[in-house]
Amino acid sequence: MVVPVSLALKGEQYANELWRYKNAAGPQQMYFRMGLAAVLWRFLALHEACIAAHCAVPGFDIVTTAPSTSGRENHPLRTITAEMVEVTRDRYRDLLAPAPDAAVLGRNPSRSRYTSTALWGENVLVIDDTWTSGNHAQSASAALKAAGARSVAVVVLGRHLNNSYGDTATLVEQARLRRFSWDTCALRPWHHG
């Protein structure tokens, strides 16, 4: 199961912030990281129980991140999840590592994209920054299941969309008609909180 926190439309503010938290320098970099940490923290505080219920598990024992396959060391998403966000900090573990040939796998999901530390039936919540094609999140989930995870769910900060692709513009316009509220859940589309 994959649950996006928000849409991240190409050329718009949130997509820009998801790029800048990795690529900006100095005080700007920390500004964007703190903002995304706040978004993740609030979303999980309100909706992690909904995700667990949808997966029919009592909760997630471990939280991890989908690592970069581009060679980026010390990925800022790991810092956000392992250090900045209180609701994930104590459960965070580095479970996944990219395989040596991960970058050449292209856009196809593959269990061999990542290797995982052995698990013994734990429920794992994977945090990823963007979902474009889904290959990283799906590959991470497959590797975790192969390593012994009982249940795996993925939360992505932004579902990357390009309005010029297919009927995306129509779908985005329909989404804009719905009023945003932190209390509205993607899995239970009514207010709760």
Side-chain angles (χ1 to χ4, degrees):
M1 160 190 306
V2 177
V3 180
V5 173
S6 180
L7 299 178
L9 303 171
K10 183 177 181 178
E12 292 192 10
Q13 180 180 349
Y14 194 56
N16 182 39
E17 290 179 14
L18 285 165
W19 183 86
R20 287 184 178 270
Y21 97 101
K22 293 186 281 194
N23 299 300
Q28 248 195 6
Q29 183 181 66
M30 185 51 70
Y31 171 82
F32 290 112
R33 289 180 184 184
M34 287 175 45
L36 290 174
V39 167
L40 179 62
W41 190 337
R42 182 152 187 197
F43 178 83
L44 291 176
L46 290 169
H47 302 295
E48 184 177 345
C50 305
I51 299 166
H54 192 80
C55 292
V57 298
F60 296 99
D61 309 298
I62 300 171
V63 178
T64 195
T65 52
S68 172
T69 57
S70 65
R72 181 188 302 269
E73 292 191 29
N74 300 320
H75 197 287
L77 185 60
R78 185 214 175 275
T79 303
I80 287 171
T81 308
E83 300 172 18
M84 297 172 77
V85 176
E86 183 178 300
V87 297
T88 58
R89 185 183 310 139
D90 293 339
R91 295 177 291 152
Y92 186 85
R93 283 182 44 204
D94 287 315
L95 296 177
L96 297 163
D101 64 344
V104 300
L105 290 172
R107 292 195 173 264
N108 297 319
S110 171
R111 187 175 78 187
S112 64
R113 184 181 305 277
Y114 299 110
T115 58
S116 175
T117 302
L119 296 161
W120 292 272
E122 293 97 334
N123 300 312
V124 181
L125 181 63
V126 178
I127 308 298
D128 204 355
D129 51 9
T130 56
W131 172 285
T132 302
S133 67
N135 70 63
H136 287 240
Q138 292 176 58
S139 298
S141 296
L144 291 164
K145 293 290 275 186
R150 177 175 163 216
S151 182
V152 178
V154 179
V155 168
V156 293
L157 288 168
R159 170 60 172 107
H160 182 75
L161 294 172
N162 185 339
N163 270 337
S164 65
Y165 182 77
D167 61 353
T168 302
T170 301
L171 297 172
V172 167
E173 286 308 312
Q174 291 171 353
R176 288 186 199 273
L177 295 175
R178 285 177 260 146
R179 188 178 177 117
F180 175 80
S181 169
W182 280 107
D183 293 331
T184 301
C185 180
L187 299 172
R188 300 189 304 174
W190 57 84
H191 288 292
H192 64 87

